[in-house]
Amino acid sequence: MKSAVIVFPGSNRDRDMFHALELITGSRPQHVWHTESTLPDVDLVVVPGGFSYGDYLRSGAIAARSPILKDLVAKANSGVAVLGVCNGFQILTEAGLLPGALMRNAGLTFVCKDVLMETVNNATRFSSKFQKGQVWRCPVAHHDGNYFADEETLSAIEDNNQVVFRYAEGTNPNGSINNIAGITNAAGNVLGMMPHPENLVESLHGGLDGRLLFESLLTAA
């Protein structure tokens, strides 16, 4: 599977994502700087975590207007798989590729800990290796991860099975509505999620739970 990782000023999980992709797919990803105008021909584009532009204005707001986003939107609309993690999720909502918004955590503090995730939809290219209802562990590290959507939007994404992951067993770290941790677009080829599966892909990390997401993508490629 060929992949690319977009890097912005302030990205700090791009190398983690790069390592996870190379480890699991066996293929070295390409780094793409945010000022470039064209993405390479790949099966997957990742928008990684971090604090692009220092989270000024709103988290992801400036990055969503970077030159490379025009081609990212075009690639996503053509069906290429796009994964946004943490700040990447924020950028994808700001760019209009995913519905809803990420607000300040309900406790107004930065949260860094493991949470439990439930896979509520395993019929996507990002989740096919999970069992439906499977509960798994994943780290979070964010200040603005409180997912919100208006009633009409929320009803639409729930009815369309666009919610892929929910926080499980009372571990919601940020107040996200309906315990939403990760959603897709209506077409199912763009996933945004706040937790960091790339940080739990080998035993030295303390677990392998995050591998299933990348193995799902590998199967779908």
Side-chain angles (χ1 to χ4, degrees), residues 58-91:
R58 294 181 309 276
S59 299
I62 300 176
R65 288 148 182 83
S66 295
I68 196 61
L69 262 292
K70 183 176 181 180
D71 196 43
L72 178 64
V73 170
K75 292 288 196 300
N77 289 338
S78 73
V80 173
V82 176
L83 170 65
V85 174
C86 199
N87 187 230
F89 188 6
Q90 296 160 347
I91 292 169

Side-chain angles (χ1 to χ4, degrees), residues 37 39 71 82 111 113 121 124 132 137 166 172 193 199:
S37 59
L39 286 159
D71 196 43
V82 176
V111 178
K113 63 180 182 180
N121 181 0
T124 78
K132 187 173 183 179
R137 184 166 56 93
R166 298 189 201 273
N172 185 333
M193 60 187 297
N199 290 149

Side-chain angles (χ1 to χ4, degrees), residues 15-220:
R15 292 182 181 274
D16 297 18
M17 184 62 71
F18 191 96
H19 173 71
L21 288 167
E22 185 172 22
L23 176 71
I24 296 168
T25 70
S27 179
R28 190 173 179 81
Q30 298 186 53
H31 275 120
V32 179
W33 187 235
H34 69 113
T35 58
E36 296 184 34
S37 59
T38 305
L39 286 159
D41 182 16
V42 294
D43 305 300
L44 169 70
V45 181
V46 180
V47 188
F51 302 92
S52 58
Y53 293 94
D55 280 350
Y56 289 113
L57 299 182
R58 294 181 309 276
S59 299
I62 300 176
R65 288 148 182 83
S66 295
I68 196 61
L69 262 292
K70 183 176 181 180
D71 196 43
L72 178 64
V73 170
K75 292 288 196 300
N77 289 338
S78 73
V80 173
V82 176
L83 170 65
V85 174
C86 199
N87 187 230
F89 188 6
Q90 296 160 347
I91 292 169
L92 294 180
T93 60
E94 287 285 344
L97 284 172
L98 290 173
L102 282 307
M103 308 187 303
R104 292 285 172 88
N105 293 346
L108 301 181
T109 57
F110 183 86
V111 178
C112 183
K113 63 180 182 180
D114 284 357
V115 298
L116 295 177
M117 306 262 285
E118 180 186 1
T119 302
V120 294
N121 181 0
N122 68 341
T124 78
R125 67 178 76 183
F126 304 93
S127 60
S128 62
K129 287 293 185 178
F130 294 92
Q131 296 296 314
K132 187 173 183 179
Q134 181 175 346
V135 175
W136 53 289
R137 184 166 56 93
C138 198
V140 297
H142 58 254
H143 190 275
D144 296 60
N146 185 353
Y147 181 78
F148 177 81
D150 62 55
E151 186 175 342
E152 182 180 355
T153 301
L154 183 63
S155 178
I157 64 174
E158 292 283 8
D159 291 346
N160 293 335
N161 294 318
Q162 290 173 235
V163 179
V164 180
F165 304 116
R166 298 189 201 273
Y167 299 110
E169 299 180 16
T171 64
N172 185 333
N174 49 44
S176 287
I177 193 168
N178 289 12
N179 293 315
I180 290 173
I183 63 169
T184 66
N185 62 343
N189 65 300
V190 178
L191 172 73
M193 60 187 297
M194 288 308 298
H196 289 271
E198 74 276 15
N199 290 149
L200 208 61
V201 296
E202 51 189 333
S203 57
L204 288 175
H205 292 163
L208 303 172
D209 293 35
R211 290 185 66 101
L212 291 178
L213 184 142
F214 298 100
E215 291 172 357
S216 298
L217 284 163
L218 187 59
T219 300

